[in-house]
Amino acid sequence: QVQLVESGGGSVQAGGSLRLSCAASGYTRSRYYMGWFRQAPGKEREGVASIYTDAGSTYYATSVKGRFTLSQDNAKNTLYLQMNSLKPEDTAMYYCALGGAWIGQPLRRREYTYWGQGTQVTVSS
């Protein structure tokens, strides 16, 4: 059974930083995509960042490029999202997701099969 557990959300002021973690378990394949998505109230869930774990290739949404950084700890099966220079528009529930090894668009929601429960990020102005 695949499980994804997010942590690290919280409330910060604009310009601050947070680091989200996603601990994965139960997935036996060695090559896969993992990503972070977010959903603000009344909006669609959107892709934020994704990584192909085998090659370390990363993909970022334009809105977060240069501010957010993905990293992974393979020994711990954990994915991190370092978020700097946070803005009020970054406020959302953030979800970790896991897909297969063959994904057409790494930031497209429907490419991913497994999802975590989410962690809330709130940025105040």
Side-chain angles (χ1 to χ4, degrees):
Q1 181 178 356
V2 176
Q3 285 192 320
L4 302 174
V5 180
E6 304 101 330
S7 61
S11 298
V12 296
Q13 291 191 326
S17 298
L18 284 172
R19 188 177 80 156
L20 305 184
S21 300
C22 174
S25 62
Y27 197 74
T28 59
R29 298 183 181 180
S30 60
R31 302 175 182 177
Y32 50 91
Y33 280 84
M34 284 188 74
W36 286 97
F37 290 73
R38 67 186 181 186
Q39 188 167 16
K43 295 189 176 181
E44 295 286 323
R45 191 172 299 188
E46 62 175 357
V48 174
S50 175
I51 186 168
Y52 181 49
T53 58
D54 183 51
S57 306
T58 54
Y59 309 84
Y60 295 94
T62 301
S63 59
V64 306
K65 199 171 294 185
R67 300 189 296 122
F68 291 11
T69 305
L70 281 171
S71 62
Q72 56 180 338
D73 184 333
N74 291 331
K76 296 181 179 180
N77 292 326
T78 300
L79 180 69
Y80 302 99
L81 182 67
Q82 178 66 43
M83 306 187 295
N84 297 329
S85 302
L86 282 161
K87 304 176 181 180
E89 50 263 43
D90 294 319
T91 295
M93 184 71 78
Y94 282 70
Y95 297 91
C96 178
L98 189 151
W102 304 102
I103 284 183
Q105 296 184 32
L107 296 181
R108 186 166 61 183
R109 175 182 180 178
R110 67 182 186 184
E111 303 274 14
Y112 293 81
T113 304
Y114 303 101
W115 293 84
Q117 293 300 306
T119 185
Q120 178 68 37
V121 171
T122 302
V123 185
S124 58
S125 58

